[in-house]
Amino acid sequence: MKRLLTYVAILFFCANVLAIDLQQAKAQGLVGEANTGYVAAVTLSPSTEVRQLIQQVNTERKESYQRIAVSHGLTVSEVSRLAYKKAIDRTEPGHFYQNASGLWVKK
């Protein structure tokens, strides 16, 4: 039983080490700032891990945009457009963002 718990602990630790975060995904060119104010996959076939990351980040952003919209009397759409403009300014050189036409551009 002790050995099993050790294996489970090691597996859990390894899974957390291998998990990718947003900055790593951006640095690897897997995701970028979409022109919607959310993140999206730059590649055509993102891994399950990248798709889950995108979903998590976008869920958090949507909740944040909704709070901001309510507190400032704006629509979520207006907030996401403003967030997109800020995201482009904050995008690091070498990372991708989507231009107004929907094309991915490397900054």
Side-chain angles (χ1 to χ4, degrees):
M1 184 65 157
K2 195 173 189 179
R3 187 178 300 168
L4 178 62
L5 290 175
T6 302
Y7 289 137
V8 170
I10 291 170
L11 180 62
F12 179 75
F13 177 74
C14 290
N16 285 335
V17 169
L18 295 175
I20 191 168
D21 69 20
L22 182 59
Q23 290 308 312
Q24 291 169 332
K26 285 181 175 184
Q28 293 176 30
L30 302 172
V31 300
E33 293 291 338
N35 60 11
T36 58
Y38 297 94
V39 293
V42 175
T43 60
L44 293 177
S45 301
S47 69
T48 301
E49 184 179 25
V50 170
R51 286 194 307 270
Q52 289 172 344
L53 173 68
I54 291 168
Q55 182 179 7
Q56 176 190 354
V57 169
N58 287 341
T59 297
E60 291 171 5
R61 285 188 180 188
K62 185 174 183 178
E63 290 170 0
S64 177
Y65 295 169
Q66 288 172 333
R67 284 192 304 275
I68 293 168
V70 168
S71 69
H72 289 85
L74 299 169
T75 66
V76 172
S77 168
E78 290 170 320
V79 174
S80 66
R81 275 196 306 275
L82 292 170
Y84 166 67
K85 290 177 184 177
K86 281 188 173 185
I88 290 175
D89 291 339
R90 294 180 179 164
T91 296
E92 295 180 24
H95 292 190
F96 286 93
Y97 69 92
Q98 200 174 37
N99 67 16
S101 302
L103 298 174
W104 288 106
V105 177
K106 192 180 241 186
K107 188 170 184 183

